[in-house]
Amino acid sequence: MLRRGLTVRGFRDKLLVQFIQERAGKYTMATAMDQWDLDYLYTGFEDEAFLRDLRSLNQDGEALRTLLSDETLPEAEKLEKLVSASETLNAKLDRLNNFVSCTLATDAANAAANKADDQLMSVYTTLIPLFSGITRFVSSMKDLEGAIAGSELLSRSAFALREMKEEAEHLIPDAIEPWILEMKLSGGNAFSQLRDKLDSTVSVDYRDEKLPLSGVRGKAYDPDPLVRKDAYDAEIAAYSKIDLPMSYCLNSIKREAITLAKAKGYASVLDMTLASSRMDRETLDALWTAVREYLPDFRRYLKAKAKLLGHEGGLPFWDLFAPVGNATKTYTIEEARETLIRELGKFTPKMAAFIDNAFAQRWIDLYPRDGKTGGAFCAPVHFADRSLVMTNFQGSFSDVSTLAHELGHAWHNRCLAGLPYGLIDTPMPLAETASIFNETMLSYQVLKSCGREERLTLLESGLMESTQTVVDIYSRFLFEQEVIDTRADHAMTVEELKDAMLRAQDASYGDGLRPDARHPYMWACKSHYYSSGYNFYNFPYAFGLLFGKGVFAQYLEKGEAFVEDYCRLLRLCGSAKVADVAASVGIDVRDPDFWRSSLEVIKKDIDEFCLLAQ
Ligand SMILES: [Zn+2]
């Protein structure tokens, strides 16, 4: 079966990208050895193999279409042919898409890459209805189970085939599906693009300068408290220039989501998102139940940080990302490489060898340079059993941690090697398991051997991110729920949106955040609310962080015996429902107790931070 999307452009690490972009600093010079090797994909945009593969996509689509409409083949044989044609097409898309989008990620203005990207996207749009076509065929089969039992090829992809049968209940009638896809281009997708344009073009008056929003938000990490406060004031003032069109974007995207959920026969937008995340309500409820219990601990951390920065009571919003402590240890890339190999290698020597190899074979594009996009990501190159990692390394511990994170994704990709394409797409909630595990392992090991000042800094930066991923994400979930409920009745005004945001922040941050110094425009700030294809683009982050920490807690408990379980769990991520993946290593995600065990890992850090902060 065809994959749902081209993953490099997908969701992975968007939150992280935002964190890091906001901290972007000076560039260092890069040399070719620090840049990744894409030659095994194609040698260039004039490469005969590249041109041939790109040209052949239309014929491949046509062949699949002909196969789909063939009424003469016995159904099991037809399904086998569809599955193997999809596998071949996926491998070709894998290669083409990685070459084009990874070139663009480091060289945004590359004309040949932009042209190829355009061509690739337009062919891809014509392939999308084939997903539904195959799904419809699978659901129409008289004896799917018989076909699976009688074919090795089909039994390898059994989970994906059975899932298609379930999904068929929620397909839009095929006569109108192409029209809906086309209208999305001028509907939700267009509003989403407009949002990005507004965000990237508004000019912020900061002191005597005019800055982009990203520039002024980056100042939230500045060591000077006056810079942080002025930047926050400037940022809030700037939103009033764009809040009205932003509110239209948000209202329209959510209205479209409500309409689509209805058209597809889902009881709600949340149910639609849960289905695509392979998750159930019970799991989500268990997660939030535990999170609510631990909110007072996060507030304790926020108040301790406030006190450290000289505030009475809660923390003002502009100091959420303020650096704490004076530890400024920096790493060269060689030191970073050694640290990663040494500390993550303590999990298993295979991990050490894997990381060493990733550096040696130039899987990683390391440094910032002109034309390269901010942030970090890891793209799987499944057909070649490799990954492509992009970072903007500048030597901070956070940069080392980002490498650990992305190499965690790469390790996850390695665990999926050899599986059919239909089984490698990990749903959002599980996609961050290996990356969070690596980050947690790194900081756990490094914290063991560092002094008080460095410890305070490292603990705090970890807690700052956990607070974003648990507390802020909870506020975003509450906010989005309210917007969707209200939008079913009417379009929300700017004032209503601001009020709803403040209410959501109150419910999650409570007295940890100063009541008169919150952020009523977080709905305009975060792009996640404006994804036209994915709603509630928030809880998977909280799930991912806490699941990764919970898995790490299991490792601490079971030690080396857990290594094999862990790899098995990662391999299963695209081949089962979330709860079943977790159950395979004895984790019950429907039980709040599992989530409590993850939150306890964070609570220990909070306790220690509060002690050190005194
Ligand atoms: Zn990630």
Side-chain angles (χ1 to χ4, degrees), residues 12-14 16 376-378 405-406 409 431-432 435-436 439 541:
R12 191 162 284 185
D13 285 0
K14 246 188 147 181
L16 196 73
F377 67 76
C378 172
H405 179 109
E406 301 308 337
H409 284 306
E432 298 298 328
S435 55
I436 300 290
E439 266 188 65
Y541 284 110

Side-chain angles (χ1 to χ4, degrees), residues 44-84:
F45 290 93
E46 295 303 317
D47 184 340
E48 252 323 298
F50 174 78
L51 295 169
R52 193 181 52 234
D53 282 352
L54 187 60
R55 269 197 307 264
S56 63
L57 286 178
N58 274 322
Q59 295 145 20
D60 295 344
E62 211 35 62
L64 256 177
R65 224 163 279 130
T66 310
L67 191 55
L68 265 173
S69 57
D70 189 328
E71 309 273 341
T72 60
L73 284 171
E75 61 173 27
E77 191 187 331
K78 180 167 167 178
L79 186 58
E80 278 198 322
K81 284 190 169 11
L82 282 170
V83 168
S84 69

Side-chain angles (χ1 to χ4, degrees), residues 423-494:
L423 301 182
I424 63 163
D425 284 331
T426 302
M428 276 278 283
L430 293 174
E432 298 298 328
T433 308
S435 55
I436 300 290
F437 183 94
N438 264 16
E439 266 188 65
T440 310
M441 176 83 182
L442 178 69
S443 92
Y444 176 82
Q445 296 296 351
V446 170
L447 274 172
K448 273 186 182 169
S449 62
C450 63
R452 181 195 174 274
E453 195 63 22
E454 200 185 347
R455 215 177 158 74
L456 185 74
T457 305
L458 291 185
L459 275 172
E460 203 284 324
S461 74
L463 288 173
M464 181 174 83
E465 293 202 12
S466 300
T467 303
Q468 283 299 295
T469 316
V470 177
V471 184
D472 197 71
I473 286 291
Y474 183 55
S475 78
R476 297 192 211 180
F477 176 79
L478 294 176
F479 172 79
E480 187 155 347
Q481 184 70 74
E482 180 168 348
V483 172
I484 287 173
D485 289 348
T486 313
R487 188 63 190 91
D489 178 65
H490 66 274
M492 292 175 80
T493 63
V494 168

